[in-house]
Amino acid sequence: MQPVQSFSEMKKRAKLLPSRRVAVVRADEAETLTAIMTAVEENMIEAVLIGGSDAIKRSADKAGVDVSGMDIIDIAEDKPAAEKAVELIRNGEAHVIMKGLVASSIFLKAILDNEKGIRGPGLLSHVAVFDIPTYPKLLTVTDAAMNIKPKLDQKVQILKNAITVVNAPGIDNPKSTYLCAKEVPYEKMPRTMEAAKIKKMVEDGEITGTDFDGPLAMDLAVSPEAVKIKKIKSSVAGQVDIVLLPDIESANILYKTLLFLSNAEGAAVIMGATHPVTLTSRADSAESKLCSLVLAGIVASYLES
């Protein structure tokens, strides 16, 4: 199959794959239900709704969707609802876990529980994928929500998680970079030195599955014209698939700039657990939640293949 380069192509790809079942924690929220029902009706996912059944039905009425044929598990409280979703994942009855109205802290605590959770061997990290009108392919940004000030070894894990997400819809050997304010290593700018170390790891085979160059400034990462003007020689510059950011603040600024100033549509998945996790924001649109669901389903299929 050809690599996916837009969210519309990603949705088409999801319809061709075996549907993954999503366990939704506290599904009693109108936009979440709108996204879920769209994905279910278009055969992109299957779903089980966990939450107070009356509250779910009220939210469905508000959203104008019919949940009468859906699997609903009547658990109104956050903690037991989150624990039930994790149990479904552990038992193989679901493949993706999604946050609804449940508090993030309770949701993540259930996932990371040492005995009953779905903690994976690696680091949990946030991987956001954007469909940007001015960019010819999907752009992946990491980590805008989980790791505040990751150390170099954690950044390596964050990059590896992002590579897996980009691989899932058919993009092999994605082009990646570490975004900095300068395109050459400079001792007074420690992040550029980290980028150079990651580049050496890729060259030495310690990190595989990506064509990496860094450090690169944002213009050189995404603009072929800037690359031409500055006479940069790189197989990555001007056409990146993945941008790794220095810390949560810079990543979050880029994330929200793309959403609110660039007319981009975004999707996100948390990687590092045994199964993909969808942790959407209350401010996310129904379309963004839909794209996150579809992305998580595709990643789940890829991990099981």
Side-chain angles (χ1 to χ4, degrees):
M1 291 185 179
Q2 292 295 316
V4 166
Q5 301 290 14
S6 68
F7 283 165
S8 62
E9 292 177 10
M10 188 167 69
K11 291 174 185 175
K12 291 177 183 177
R13 176 68 58 85
K15 294 176 184 179
L16 299 176
L17 297 171
S19 293
R20 300 295 87 190
R21 197 167 191 236
V22 180
V24 188
V25 183
R26 288 287 312 278
D28 45 311
E29 194 271 325
E31 289 205 339
T32 297
L33 284 172
T34 298
I36 293 162
M37 295 309 298
T38 299
V40 169
E41 289 168 1
E42 296 186 13
N43 297 314
M44 292 185 282
I45 64 162
E46 297 174 0
V48 54
L49 310 179
I50 305 170
S53 57
D54 290 342
I56 289 173
K57 290 170 185 175
R58 285 195 299 271
S59 296
D61 290 342
K62 181 180 178 181
V65 297
D66 182 8
V67 296
S68 59
M70 296 293 294
D71 289 339
I72 298 175
I73 298 177
D74 185 13
I75 303 175
E77 299 299 319
D78 280 9
K79 185 174 182 290
E83 289 172 347
K84 181 62 179 179
V86 170
E87 179 187 322
L88 294 177
I89 296 284
R90 288 175 63 94
N91 292 341
E93 298 175 63
H95 313 92
V96 175
I97 182 169
M98 180 183 187
K99 176 185 175 295
L101 277 180
V102 61
S104 295
S105 58
I106 295 173
F107 180 71
L108 290 171
K109 187 175 181 180
I111 289 168
L112 294 172
D113 185 275
N114 287 327
E115 294 183 4
K116 298 181 180 180
I118 52 172
R119 180 191 291 270
L123 180 75
L124 258 65
S125 64
H126 183 269
V127 184
V129 180
F130 291 93
D131 191 337
I132 308 166
T134 54
Y135 199 60
K137 56 182 177 177
L138 296 174
L139 182 68
T140 296
V141 175
T142 194
D143 172 346
M146 290 293 293
N147 296 284
I148 296 172
K149 193 175 180 181
K151 297 179 180 179
L152 179 61
D153 62 330
Q154 294 174 313
K155 286 172 182 169
V156 169
Q157 293 185 65
I158 290 168
L159 177 60
K160 289 179 177 179
N161 284 346
I163 292 168
T164 299
V165 172
V166 175
N167 285 162
I171 302 169
D172 297 326
N173 204 44
K175 299 178 185 297
S176 61
T177 191
Y178 186 145
L179 282 187
C180 297
K182 194 174 180 67
E183 58 271 10
V184 294
Y186 182 47
E187 289 186 358
K188 291 185 178 181
M189 301 176 74
R191 300 299 175 255
T192 66
M193 303 304 291
E194 285 187 338
K197 289 177 182 177
I198 292 175
K199 182 176 181 179
K200 184 68 164 52
M201 290 180 192
V202 174
E203 291 171 348
D204 291 345
E206 295 178 45
I207 303 171
T208 60
T210 186
D211 183 6
F212 181 94
D213 195 9
L216 288 177
M218 187 65 181
D219 57 340
L220 293 173
V222 299
S223 170
E225 185 64 21
V227 173
K228 182 178 178 182
I229 291 169
K230 294 185 178 181
K231 297 181 172 61
I232 299 296
K233 292 183 179 181
S234 168
S235 62
V236 169
Q239 50 185 332
V240 297
D241 297 293
I242 301 169
V243 289
L244 173 66
L245 277 295
D247 53 36
I248 198 171
E249 289 163 328
S250 56
N252 195 270
I253 290 167
L254 177 57
Y255 177 97
K256 290 179 179 174
T257 298
L258 291 172
L259 284 179
F260 294 101
L261 289 178
S262 300
N263 200 29
E265 195 64 66
V269 61
I270 303 293
M271 297 295 290
T274 60
H275 292 68
V277 177
T278 302
L279 185 69
T280 54
S281 166
R282 288 170 295 176
D284 288 343
S285 65
E287 178 64 19
S288 177
K289 291 178 179 180
L290 170 62
C291 291
S292 294
L293 277 167
V294 173
L295 175 64
I298 289 175
V299 172
S301 291
Y302 176 76
L303 292 175
E304 292 174 16
S305 64

